[in-house]
Amino acid sequence: NAGVTQTPKFRILKIGQSMTLQCTQDMNHNYMYWYRQDPGMGLKLIYYSVGAGITDKGEVPNGYNVSRSTTEDFPLRLELAAPSQTSVYFCASSPGTAETQYFGPGTRLLVL
Amino acid sequence: AQTVTQSQPEMSVQEAETVTLSCTYDTSESDYYLFWYKQPPSRQMILVIRQEAYKQQNATENRFSVNFQKAAKSFSLKISDSQLGDAAMYFCAYRSAFSSDGNKLVFGAGTILRVKS
């Protein structure tokens, strides 16, 4: 059981480039989340999804987009990378609203 | 909006000793969940322990236990018989029991725990 997987593990982007961070879970969880963690800080919610085809903004959505075409996948898109998006990105999933969230290993992104 | 405060940026403990990490939170809600997550150098977020606000009994998981004081809005983590593998960043987190914002987790800034041999 792989749980929540994220790719890539690390990426360097130039300012203005675009990329997609991949997240897949094999636990058939309805809820999925994207968080970012800035150095020395806790995680902040970027976007979340309560099921396939349904997404909504979190605390810090600017500069990002998401889609949820399947239960398993929840990719995060950066359209025009900026230095402020240098961070570690975590994907998480949970079966329902009352359940614990399980995290992927994270993607470290450096924008130069 | 809910906030979570961890007032200890860094703590140290001798191997086999006991250490307590502090966490306070602010909310106007009566029903919610509280969590402690561990983040080792690998950056993986690992759930340590979970507490439901409606339960008066403090949660325990082996060497880990919490002191949940609902009226004081305090949720501390006690680690007994500390081991070298306990060294990590520890995050306290809050989640509403109501379905708003996808039941997001609100995190504190974290406490670095160092374990001395």
Side-chain angles (χ1 to χ4, degrees), chain B residues 39-58:
Chain B
Q39 187 179 44
S42 66
R43 291 201 307 271
Q44 179 78 46
M45 293 290 285
I46 302 166
L47 177 67
V48 175
I49 201 164
R50 160 190 165 129
Q51 174 80 43
E52 288 83 358
Y54 63 84
K55 290 185 178 179
Q56 293 188 346
Q57 187 173 5
N58 289 325

Side-chain angles (χ1 to χ4, degrees), chain A residues 41-59:
Chain A
M41 303 292 289
L43 283 66
K44 291 189 176 180
L45 184 66
I46 305 172
Y47 270 95
Y48 67 96
S49 170
V50 301
I54 306 170
T55 63
D56 208 345
K57 296 177 181 179
E59 296 175 85

Side-chain angles (χ1 to χ4, degrees), chain A residues 33 37 97-99 101 103, chain B residues 37 39 44 50 95 102-103:
Chain A
Y33 308 82
Q37 182 183 24
T97 58
E99 304 300 322
Q101 293 180 22
F103 285 81
Chain B
Y37 279 90
Q39 187 179 44
Q44 179 78 46
R50 160 190 165 129
R95 197 185 81 212
N103 294 102

Side-chain angles (χ1 to χ4, degrees), chain B residues 35-98:
Chain B
F35 304 84
W36 279 98
Y37 279 90
K38 170 185 177 182
Q39 187 179 44
S42 66
R43 291 201 307 271
Q44 179 78 46
M45 293 290 285
I46 302 166
L47 177 67
V48 175
I49 201 164
R50 160 190 165 129
Q51 174 80 43
E52 288 83 358
Y54 63 84
K55 290 185 178 179
Q56 293 188 346
Q57 187 173 5
N58 289 325
T60 62
E61 285 289 340
N62 300 313
R63 298 182 294 106
F64 299 87
S65 62
V66 299
N67 183 4
F68 173 48
Q69 302 289 327
K70 191 172 184 180
K73 296 180 182 176
S74 171
F75 183 61
S76 61
L77 174 70
K78 186 171 83 171
I79 305 174
S80 304
D81 186 25
S82 297
Q83 300 174 1
L84 294 177
D86 295 334
M89 176 80 92
Y90 286 81
F91 290 100
C92 179
Y94 169 103
R95 197 185 81 212
S96 171
F98 303 99

Side-chain angles (χ1 to χ4, degrees), chain A residues 14-101:
Chain A
K14 294 182 179 179
I15 294 171
Q17 285 186 320
S18 300
M19 78 164 293
T20 299
L21 282 66
Q22 302 291 344
C23 174
T24 301
Q25 52 93 8
D26 62 359
M27 298 175 283
N28 201 33
H29 287 174
N30 287 322
Y31 287 71
M32 295 188 75
Y33 308 82
W34 274 106
Y35 292 88
R36 60 177 284 173
Q37 182 183 24
D38 297 330
M41 303 292 289
L43 283 66
K44 291 189 176 180
L45 184 66
I46 305 172
Y47 270 95
Y48 67 96
S49 170
V50 301
I54 306 170
T55 63
D56 208 345
K57 296 177 181 179
E59 296 175 85
V60 289
N62 292 342
Y64 306 95
N65 278 299
V66 294
S67 60
R68 183 98 182 268
S69 57
T70 66
T71 299
E72 295 78 19
D73 300 308
F74 190 40
L76 178 71
R77 178 82 177 163
L78 283 72
E79 291 294 348
L80 292 170
S84 61
Q85 294 177 304
T86 292
S87 191
V88 179
Y89 292 83
F90 288 95
C91 181
S93 72
S94 67
T97 58
E99 304 300 322
T100 298
Q101 293 180 22

